Amino acid sequence: EAQVTQNPRYLITVTGKKLTVTCSQNMNHEYMSWYRQDPGLGLRQIYYSMNVEVTDKGDVPEGYKVSRKEKRNFPLILESPSPNQTSLYFCASSVIVPNTGELFFGEGSRLTVL
Amino acid sequence: ELKVEQNPLFLSMQEGKNYTIYCNYSTTSDRLYWYRQDPGKSLESLFVLLSNGAVKQEGRLMASLDTKARLSTLHITAAVHDLSATYFCAVRGGATNKLIFGTGTLLAVQP
């Protein structure tokens, strides 16, 4: 089954404790992206990647890091989480043929930073 | 900068009624997407509109695209409770291939 898998789905952590949210897709998609969703602010892009070893900032990259060492994986790293990073996070992927097509979303990861 | 606006932001409607959600965007784009999101859930792709005049229908939902007016509509026919959800439109923006999302329309269908 074609899917985007995120882990963990739910996480409560404390300020400053590094965490990683994993994202994996099995559709051989070149393009992957992270979004955060907050009430009243909609979906905002954090980082995206056009292919392996190619990443770039989205609209709200501060406080986040990503890597793309393999095509299928695109982890989101919070080096020192803060309460303002409490949010619902989505990973998404798509093909680039020749431009981004339909985005497929993971189930979401709800993060609470105390 | 590409901006995407949806209206209304909130729509309460009775079962059996028809209504339309509007999506306006600020600069030229050749692809428009509609997504559905149930509370606390992921986004599900509904429609991909690729050209001016494109119309797609699935069940009680019909989406259309007018690239000249930079407008897409999502029409709901004879609404049922199961259609209650938040609906997002998204437009592909520029060289980064980024999808810019509208703020969403929360649809509540009342019995």
Side-chain angles (χ1 to χ4, degrees):
Chain A
E1 179 188 354
Q3 58 187 6
V4 179
T5 304
Q6 297 177 226
N7 280 295
R9 296 286 314 284
Y10 303 91
L11 179 63
I12 301 174
T13 190
V14 295
T15 298
K17 186 175 181 180
K18 180 180 178 180
L19 68 92
T20 299
V21 186
T22 64
C23 174
S24 181
Q25 50 94 5
N26 63 0
M27 295 169 281
N28 201 37
H29 285 168
E30 298 90 352
Y31 183 90
M32 298 187 75
S33 181
W34 277 102
Y35 290 85
R36 61 178 289 176
Q37 186 176 31
D38 303 288
L41 297 176
L43 281 147
R44 296 179 292 169
Q45 190 181 49
I46 304 170
Y47 269 94
Y48 66 95
S49 170
M50 303 283 272
N51 214 324
V52 175
E53 302 291 0
V54 181
T55 63
D56 210 343
K57 297 177 181 179
D59 298 316
V60 287
E62 295 78 18
Y64 304 95
K65 289 174 59 177
V66 293
S67 67
R68 188 90 182 272
K69 297 177 182 177
E70 304 165 284
K71 196 172 187 179
R72 64 184 293 126
N73 295 323
F74 191 45
L76 180 69
I77 303 157
L78 286 74
E79 293 272 1
S80 183
S82 61
N84 65 11
Q85 292 178 298
T86 293
S87 186
L88 179 58
Y89 292 86
F90 288 103
C91 180
S93 71
S94 74
V95 296
I96 306 179
V97 186
N99 294 303
T100 303
E102 181 182 3
L103 270 180
F104 293 86
F105 283 83
E107 291 298 308
S109 296
R110 185 168 293 281
L111 171 65
T112 301
V113 183
L114 301 175
Chain B
E1 181 187 349
L2 176 59
K3 292 186 178 180
V4 182
E5 293 184 351
Q6 285 181 240
N7 68 83
L9 297 183
F10 177 72
L11 176 56
S12 178
M13 55 191 298
Q14 287 185 314
E15 282 191 328
K17 299 291 187 181
N18 304 333
Y19 209 83
T20 300
I21 299 171
Y22 297 89
C23 175
N24 291 90
Y25 52 99
S26 59
T27 62
T28 302
S29 180
D30 60 358
R31 295 191 181 205
L32 189 134
Y33 307 80
W34 283 97
Y35 288 86
R36 168 183 171 144
Q37 185 181 33
D38 293 303
K41 303 293 186 181
S42 185
L43 283 84
E44 172 192 358
S45 178
L46 293 175
F47 301 109
V48 180
L49 302 171
L50 301 179
S51 61
N52 187 43
V55 177
K56 291 197 174 180
Q57 183 163 4
E58 180 74 31
R60 300 175 187 274
L61 299 177
M62 183 173 70
S64 65
L65 178 61
D66 181 343
T67 57
K68 294 178 182 178
R70 298 176 188 163
L71 170 69
S72 180
T73 60
L74 181 66
H75 187 72
I76 303 149
T77 302
V80 293
H81 181 68
D82 285 352
L83 289 179
S84 297
T86 299
Y87 293 86
F88 291 93
C89 65
V91 177
R92 186 175 65 88
T96 64
N97 296 292
K98 179 168 69 174
L99 287 197
I100 310 296
F101 283 83
T103 50
T105 297
L106 176 58
L107 172 66
V109 181
Q110 313 294 338

